[in-house]
Amino acid sequence: MHRLLLLGCLWLLAAPPASSIFQRPTGTPAPLRLQYLLEPLHHTVHTQRGATATLPCVLRTLPHNYRVKWSKVEPANYRENIIIITNGLYHKNYGPLSPRVRLRHSHRYDASLTITNVALEDEGRYRCQLVNGLEDESISLTLHLEGVVFPYQPSNGRYKFNYHEAKQACEQQDSRLATYQQLYKAWTEGLDWCNAGWILDGTVHYPIINSREPCGGRLLLPGVRTYGARDKQKDRFDAFCFTSALQGSQVYFIRGHLNFKEAGQACRNHGAAIAKVGQLYSAWKFSQLDRCDGGWLADGSVRYPITTPRERCGGLPDPGVRSFGFPSKEMRTYGTYCFVGK
């Protein structure tokens, strides 16, 4: 009898396909009222990078021979990637999230998912599905990181990235390609940028607050303009990157007349590293870093963060991270911004 039970448990946890399409066909009836899963009080869980977050999923009762399956929908390919499966007694983890996820299991009805050391790529939509023969049901939850979107282009000018290069460029600057939802939210908060850029799902957009001739014309209404899906290998644009606060980190300025190499050494002398672009944006957004001094960053650009606009600091009316572009790395004109992590 015990052997049959063990075989049954192992069968329940047999590896599923690596991914499956998570999409309800047009015309499919809406899901039935939940019978086994409790509707969560809040469908969005807010967290910070580096924190521990729990997505709630609690059962009303324990049906016979059931499984609970957690999965995440990836906006880059709209596929559902399985994270963990449990039958209440045993569980198995899958995929890249595997080392950082566990079931909370505070009581026998609790199938909530806990994610430790939350990363930028963890943001998105998750599904907790009860698999019980013909009575399958699920709830969807969103993990939300408060963050900031910034446009990014390389030192050799605009429209140089294909999709894969844009993705890599954002990652090198302590960020990732933004989702459409993140770009749209940034637009509602004032992001106005005339250059088109890649986002995570492989589409290309640019956000406009002030309609003007070089940006589609004065007659077009403000909004997030779109070029739609483009060829990820051949087409070239800028990138829209997303970054978030990192617990226990700090960005600070060292004054001086330093070239790029000296700037990096100055940070290392203080036990820090020269800051990346995403780290400066994060400090500007979440720590209200406000400096009128241009400083070197890790990509060779020179920038400075302004939270209180004033005439002598660029003269622009809105807060933001200003840029001097990519001057010669031999130039001894600027200080440097340093980053210290936890």
Side-chain angles (χ1 to χ4, degrees), residues 16 20 67-71 80 82-86 127-131 138:
S20 56
R67 287 182 294 167
V68 170
K69 178 176 72 173
W70 275 100
S71 54
E80 177 190 1
I82 294 169
I83 301 169
I84 194 168
I85 296 179
T86 180
R127 183 164 74 133
C128 176
Q129 181 183 15
L130 181 109
V131 182
S138 64

Side-chain angles (χ1 to χ4, degrees), residues 22 31-32 34 37 39 127-130 136-140:
F22 179 43
L32 298 174
L34 295 175
L37 297 176
E39 190 73 36
R127 183 164 74 133
C128 176
Q129 181 183 15
L130 181 109
D136 294 358
E137 58 187 45
S138 64
I139 56 172
S140 292

Side-chain angles (χ1 to χ4, degrees), residues 11-248:
W11 177 84
L12 285 170
L13 298 177
S19 59
S20 56
I21 296 296
F22 179 43
Q23 196 171 19
R24 184 154 56 93
T26 304
T28 300
L32 298 174
R33 185 177 64 86
L34 295 175
Q35 295 179 341
Y36 297 103
L37 297 176
L38 285 173
E39 190 73 36
L41 289 175
H42 304 285
H43 285 264
T44 299
V45 173
H46 296 267
T47 189
Q48 288 186 321
R49 185 162 47 148
T52 295
T54 297
L55 298 166
C57 184
V58 178
L59 282 67
R60 299 174 186 269
T61 185
L62 301 178
H64 294 293
N65 299 325
Y66 77 95
R67 287 182 294 167
V68 170
K69 178 176 72 173
W70 275 100
S71 54
K72 183 176 186 288
V73 179
E74 299 296 344
N77 53 23
Y78 298 102
R79 298 180 73 85
E80 177 190 1
N81 293 326
I82 294 169
I83 301 169
I84 194 168
I85 296 179
T86 180
N87 64 359
L89 295 174
Y90 303 91
H91 71 272
K92 186 170 177 61
N93 293 16
Y94 299 94
L97 265 175
S98 180
R100 296 190 290 113
V101 296
R102 57 180 170 82
L103 294 169
R104 182 173 64 181
H105 207 62
S106 58
H107 52 80
R108 66 195 187 106
Y109 299 101
D110 185 13
S112 302
L113 182 73
T114 295
I115 304 173
T116 60
N117 193 22
V118 171
L120 290 173
E121 59 268 23
D122 296 341
E123 175 164 289
R125 188 154 59 99
Y126 291 76
R127 183 164 74 133
C128 176
Q129 181 183 15
L130 181 109
V131 182
N132 182 34
L134 298 177
E135 298 180 304
D136 294 358
E137 58 187 45
S138 64
I139 56 172
S140 292
L141 301 111
T142 298
L143 186 66
H144 175 74
L145 276 72
E146 194 64 32
V148 57
V149 172
F150 62 93
Y152 189 75
Q153 57 184 225
S155 59
N156 57 343
R158 71 171 193 163
Y159 294 177
K160 301 297 184 181
F161 294 135
N162 67 23
Y163 172 82
H164 306 287
E165 292 164 344
K167 184 173 181 292
Q168 183 180 35
C170 288
E171 291 167 357
Q172 289 172 344
Q173 296 308 314
D174 192 45
S175 59
R176 71 190 297 247
L177 279 176
T179 65
Y180 181 82
Q181 290 78 10
Q182 290 164 347
L183 181 62
Y184 184 88
K185 183 174 184 291
W187 169 70
T188 66
E189 295 172 348
L191 182 60
D192 183 282
W193 197 254
C194 206
N195 293 346
W198 294 102
I199 64 172
L200 188 57
D201 64 3
T203 57
V204 174
H205 308 266
Y206 64 101
I208 294 296
I209 298 288
N210 302 305
S211 298
R212 50 203 186 272
E213 286 304 328
C215 307
R218 298 180 184 276
L219 298 180
L220 284 179
L221 293 174
V224 178
R225 312 271 173 79
T226 180
Y227 287 9
R230 311 297 291 191
D231 189 308
K232 291 182 179 181
Q233 292 287 354
K234 297 179 181 178
D235 290 327
R236 295 188 173 271
F237 297 95
D238 291 345
F240 286 106
C241 305
F242 171 83
T243 193
S244 181
L246 181 60
Q247 292 183 335

